[in-house]
Amino acid sequence: QSPAAGGRAAGAGPTARGEDALPLVEVTFFEIGGKELAGHKGCAHDLLNARAPVRLCSDTHGTTHVLGAVVRAAHDGAGLLQTLSDGLALRCTEVTERNANSSRSHAVCALRFCA
């Protein structure tokens, strides 16, 4: 894209990433439980939206889609780390015979790089 159309000139210095700028990365973060997870058997939950239920569906091309999941934009490394931390804090864990803090699910974090 040319500088006149909103692009950056070759050799131009870095630009500040504000809330109006394109995000650096978009994050979807959910967990899938095969056993009973938070009272539901075999469910998937959004780790960026207070564990709201999400649905996993495949289209005719074999691509899996996560329906109902929040996509959170991160504009820098600190925002990405905060998003990951927020999601990890909502993972379902419990005490087991071998571990004091064992996950009871599989977490999936999808990153879509925008810039």
Side-chain angles (χ1 to χ4, degrees):
Q1 189 174 28
S2 73
R8 296 180 54 225
T15 60
R17 286 189 164 278
E19 288 299 315
D20 293 335
L22 286 175
L24 176 66
V25 64
E26 293 178 339
V27 182
T28 305
F29 201 4
F30 61 97
E31 71 178 340
I32 303 168
K35 293 177 133 186
E36 187 169 315
L37 180 65
H40 302 282
K41 187 172 182 170
C43 289
H45 294 95
D46 191 340
L47 294 175
L48 298 179
N49 188 21
R51 298 186 46 75
V54 295
R55 285 188 39 209
L56 304 177
C57 300
S58 296
D59 62 21
T60 57
H61 302 289
T63 302
T64 301
H65 301 276
V66 185
L67 303 179
V70 166
V71 177
R72 189 181 294 180
H75 294 275
D76 56 24
L80 176 59
L81 289 175
Q82 184 62 54
T83 297
L84 296 175
S85 179
D86 292 347
L88 288 171
L90 290 177
R91 292 237 19 230
C92 203
T93 61
E94 67 181 43
V95 176
T96 65
E97 189 175 299
R98 293 187 175 201
N99 297 301
N101 192 20
S102 178
S103 67
R104 304 286 79 207
S105 65
H106 297 283
V108 178
C109 179
L111 304 176
R112 181 180 161 275
F113 293 91
C114 304

